[in-house]
Amino acid sequence: MLKRYLLIQTLILATGVFMPAQSSTTLKDAYHGAFYIGVAINADQITGQDARGAKIVAEQFDSITPENALKWERVHPQPNTYDFSLSDQYVALGEKHHMFIVGHTLVWHSQTPDWVFQDTQGKPIRREALLTRLHDHIFTVVGRYKGRIQSWDVANEALNDDGTMRDSKWKQIIGDDYLIKAYQWTHEADPSAELNYNDYSLELPAKRQGAVELVKKLQAAGIKVAVVGVQGHDNLDWPSTASEDETIDVFAKLGVKVAITELDIDVLPAVESHTADISLHIKSDLRLNPYPKELPDAVQKDLARRYADLFGIFLKHRDVMSRVTLWGVTDADSWRNDWPVKGRTSYPLLWDRAGNPKLAYDAVIKASRQ
Ligand code: XIL
């Protein structure tokens, strides 16, 4: 009897048929205790239309950001017209999975309709009128999700690359204090929500210095900035791990946490480095789109190594890192297929177009065990 049992066991082990699944983990489990692992989700993932993507989101991540669903043009497309149909589902999804839910974003120069800055004749409105609109928007949107959205990217991309304030319509019409108002009102609308400042290319010393001064100015006005969000629309060779390391240190000294809020790593030829200006539109050609069918193994490995190196830096700073969020689930979902060059085949994320985890996924999991 025992002999027969042993024989069966040997067979099972040899064929592997009844072997337990190989010790598998998920991103959120691998980084549990260090920082949240988040992902930006699109409309199809929010509604579940993209079942494959939604499954990956639920299994692998413990934080979500809406890729577009909470931007002004989506929730507040017309004066006095709010549309929360998608953002309500977004927040419900995060609650269902007990995720850390991020709101993105309240004051930005992009994806904000023209009417916001104009009167009915199309002429620019004045400071008081724009402040009233901003106040209404913030209290309506933040108030609706009070106690449910834990963290708000209050302002997005308010700085130029040289560290000066971006000359947006917000600044032109209201003046520099539009930011102070936005942060104060967000806090009033939901005192429990974290207040973030989010921007790209913060690894550039001048821009980083501008962000430091901005955070100090907000702090001096009595605002508790909780997190500086470093977007992280990176390339294989920019930013260097040394400058990422330094950037996190510089912000941590301000007494805030740091989050990587929009991580993706492009392997395609860079046309405009060090920016995430979404108004850039460059026409594609063969030279700019070298891998229209698949990514060569060597580049796949470069990408994996690059992800591991960056996660190594994030882990080194785990005491001040609150979250690392990827800007999309699969390569097919990524905005980088169309930015800064339209119509390229880009490979910046951790899952491929078929929904399979890439070498970079394994590298990120492995990096957690350092
Ligand atoms: C991008 C989205 O991914 C695209 O779908 C949209 O068309 C444009 O905006 N910085 C940000 C994000 O803060 O909101 C942007 O998201 C990418 C750059």
Side-chain angles (χ1 to χ4, degrees), residues 35-95:
F35 38 76
Y36 287 115
I37 298 284
V39 63
I41 59 176
N42 61 29
D44 287 348
Q45 289 150 357
I46 293 172
T47 59
Q49 188 114 330
D50 171 11
R52 184 187 73 187
K55 185 166 182 280
I56 296 174
V57 171
E59 286 173 359
Q60 296 280 337
F61 296 93
D62 51 14
S63 173
I64 47 173
T65 301
E67 185 176 7
N68 290 298
L70 272 167
K71 290 175 180 173
W72 193 307
E73 66 180 13
R74 300 291 167 101
V75 287
H76 194 178
Q78 305 288 334
N80 306 317
T81 306
Y82 285 91
D83 177 358
F84 292 114
S85 47
L86 192 59
S87 52
D88 282 357
Q89 293 182 68
Y90 163 75
V91 175
L93 180 80
E95 287 181 331

Side-chain angles (χ1 to χ4, degrees), residues 67-68 71 104 108 111 156-157 231 262 278 327 335:
E67 185 176 7
N68 290 298
K71 290 175 180 173
H104 174 83
W108 192 21
Q111 294 183 274
N156 196 28
E157 305 178 352
Q231 288 187 3
E262 306 185 10
I278 70 165
W327 204 247
W335 77 302

